[in-house]
Amino acid sequence: MFRLYGALIGLSLIWGLSFVFMKWLLPSAGIWGIVFFRCLAGAIILLPFLWWKRRKVKEKLPWKALIVVGIFNCGLAWGLISLSETEINSTTASILNATTPIWTGLIGFILFSYRLTGRQWFGILIGFFGILVLMNFQFGQIFGKGFVGIGTMLVACICYGLAGQLTKRFLSEVSVNNLHPTNRCYHRFSWDVDYRTI
């Protein structure tokens, strides 16, 4: 039990602190610079694992699906999150990021015709209510000065949700050992081209 809670706390710190680091890096790196460095860091960390497991990589990789998922899950989502943090604070951004499971469920239901159970619908409602509680039911900030920042953050969450559903639909047969390193590696080089042109 202690190990489980330790992992949960560690994951929460990693997830939450990423918004703080993005805020710090924005003035010097810029929006797309942050995307580039996040992809680069992910590729550097994950590629050794791919190399270590290279003999177990036997299946042909579905590059088209990997590229599409990478664009939504890394490129667009991280760019929009960075853009949102030019308008809203890191706390608000991290709270809005918690809407990702809600969007994932709704996108699966609307676009992919997945049936949601009563428990899943109840979870979506509880999640939505939890977000409102964290925002102190201050609906005014959604349509106030932070409208652009909140809007771009929510679109980023939708990108995450769509990427999750696309992964489930088209990449379910791909080993996790191949999925993340190839995804990061592709975006490391694609953003390298874009970043040098800025």
Side-chain angles (χ1 to χ4, degrees), residues 35 39 69-79 160 183-184 187 191:
V35 176
C39 290
V69 169
I71 288 172
F72 282 104
N73 199 51
C74 300
L76 280 177
W78 292 351
Y160 276 144
N183 195 303
R184 292 290 191 275
H187 277 280
W191 284 112

Side-chain angles (χ1 to χ4, degrees), residues 20-109:
V20 177
F21 290 138
M22 278 190 282
K23 197 75 169 181
W24 287 348
L25 289 171
L26 266 173
S28 56
I31 294 170
W32 299 112
I34 288 176
V35 176
F36 167 75
F37 285 117
R38 288 188 70 176
C39 290
L40 176 61
I44 291 172
I45 293 170
L46 293 173
L47 278 175
F49 291 97
L50 179 62
W51 177 258
W52 182 43
K53 297 282 188 178
R54 66 189 184 281
R55 293 184 180 179
K56 296 182 180 180
V57 179
K58 296 180 180 180
E59 71 266 25
K60 185 178 179 181
L61 294 176
W63 286 105
K64 290 182 180 179
L66 281 169
I67 290 170
V68 172
V69 169
I71 288 172
F72 282 104
N73 199 51
C74 300
L76 280 177
W78 292 351
L80 288 167
I81 291 172
S82 300
L83 178 60
S84 75
E85 292 223 42
T86 63
E87 301 288 335
I88 59 177
N89 58 51
S90 298
T91 302
T92 304
S94 61
I95 290 173
L96 292 172
N97 191 50
T99 63
T100 298
I102 298 173
W103 294 115
T104 304
L106 292 177
I107 288 170
F109 176 73

Side-chain angles (χ1 to χ4, degrees), residues 9 51 57 64 89 111 117 138 170 189 195:
I9 292 171
W51 177 258
V57 179
K64 290 182 180 179
N89 58 51
L111 297 183
T117 64
Q138 295 179 7
F170 300 108
F189 290 110
Y195 188 61

Side-chain angles (χ1 to χ4, degrees), residues 112-160:
F112 295 92
S113 301
Y114 290 138
R115 283 191 173 184
L116 298 179
T117 64
R119 180 178 292 182
Q120 288 171 322
W121 280 114
F122 183 69
I124 288 174
L125 291 174
I126 290 294
F128 182 72
F129 181 75
I131 299 298
L132 295 180
V133 170
L134 290 172
M135 295 182 67
N136 293 321
F137 295 93
Q138 295 179 7
F139 301 100
Q141 37 179 317
I142 297 177
F143 303 101
K145 294 181 180 179
F147 175 75
V148 173
I150 290 173
T152 49
M153 187 64 217
L154 290 176
V155 174
C157 294
I158 292 172
C159 288
Y160 276 144

Side-chain angles (χ1 to χ4, degrees), residues 5 75 83 98 100 138 144 162 174 176-177 184 193:
Y5 282 111
L83 178 60
T100 298
Q138 295 179 7
L162 180 58
V174 180
V176 70
N177 294 322
R184 292 290 191 275
V193 174

